[in-house]
Amino acid sequence: MKQHNTFTLKNFIIRAVIAYCVTLIIFCLFIFKVIPGCSLLQSKLVLFLLTVLSFGLIYFEKDDRRNYLSIATNVLIPFGIYTTLAYMLLLPIPLGIVWVLLIGLDLVYVGFYFYKVKRRNYNSLFEKLQLVIGLASLLSLVIVLSFTLFGSSIIQSPTKITNNI
């Protein structure tokens, strides 16, 4: 095993599955919202497909970078992308700023990497891009969670409950 691996492949997969399950429960309790224009079933299918695709990232890390940071980024990416899809119409400015800024930084890093680095290690590049997208996902989740937990008028339902006698 390489020096920066802290888990065997079996332990890495088990911990990743547990992290996905715990995060899915927390996500469904606090943040889950149907994507605008989709049904509940379609929204759940999108979340499931994003999770499966992100879980496929384990294949790229089977020999390299099996640690908690890798698990965290793999778990955050599908939930952050889904949150951005679901809440983009309600919070376009904060979510747009986060994604534009961090994807812009990603592109600058890729340009700098190809310009400066002579011996290219694409696993390292993929790892850095995954980390930045995971950070954007985390910031999206934090923004939406702060709006939902602290009762923003943007997120709350416009209907009012009245007493009918």
Side-chain angles (χ1 to χ4, degrees):
M1 281 198 300
K2 295 188 178 183
Q3 185 179 15
H4 47 275
N5 285 345
T6 56
F7 301 127
T8 63
L9 181 59
K10 179 181 173 184
N11 287 338
F12 181 70
I13 291 173
I14 290 170
R15 288 175 192 252
V17 168
I18 291 170
Y20 273 110
C21 292
V22 169
T23 308
L24 181 64
I25 291 168
I26 293 170
F27 183 79
C28 288
L29 287 175
F30 294 110
I31 300 177
F32 184 81
K33 178 186 179 305
V34 175
I35 297 174
C38 295
S39 68
L40 179 64
L41 181 63
Q42 290 171 336
S43 295
K44 287 183 179 181
L45 183 65
V46 168
L47 181 61
F48 176 73
L49 289 175
L50 284 171
T51 305
V52 168
L53 288 174
S54 177
F55 199 71
L57 292 175
I58 289 175
Y59 174 77
F60 292 108
E61 296 160 355
K62 65 182 181 183
D63 298 330
D64 195 19
R65 305 298 295 172
R66 292 189 304 249
N67 54 30
Y68 285 113
L69 181 62
S70 179
I71 290 173
T73 56
N74 286 347
V75 169
L76 286 173
I77 287 173
F79 296 114
I81 292 172
Y82 182 85
T83 301
T84 303
L85 290 173
Y87 285 91
M88 189 53 113
L89 292 178
L90 294 173
L91 302 168
I93 294 174
L95 292 176
I97 289 172
V98 165
W99 282 96
V100 166
L101 181 68
L102 289 175
I103 289 178
L105 287 174
D106 240 0
L107 293 175
V108 167
Y109 177 75
V110 168
F112 179 74
Y113 184 81
F114 283 123
Y115 179 72
K116 287 288 185 183
V117 177
K118 300 297 181 208
R119 285 183 72 194
R120 295 188 175 115
N121 181 1
Y122 292 106
N123 284 339
S124 174
L125 178 64
F126 177 73
E127 175 185 309
K128 298 289 191 266
L129 297 176
Q130 183 182 3
L131 183 65
V132 172
I133 293 172
L135 181 62
S137 299
L138 176 66
L139 289 175
S140 297
L141 290 170
V142 166
I143 288 170
V144 170
L145 192 62
S146 66
F147 275 100
T148 56
L149 286 181
F150 298 120
S152 170
S153 61
I154 296 173
I155 304 295
Q156 291 177 353
S157 174
T159 60
K160 295 183 180 183
I161 299 173
T162 59
N163 289 337
N164 292 331
I165 298 177

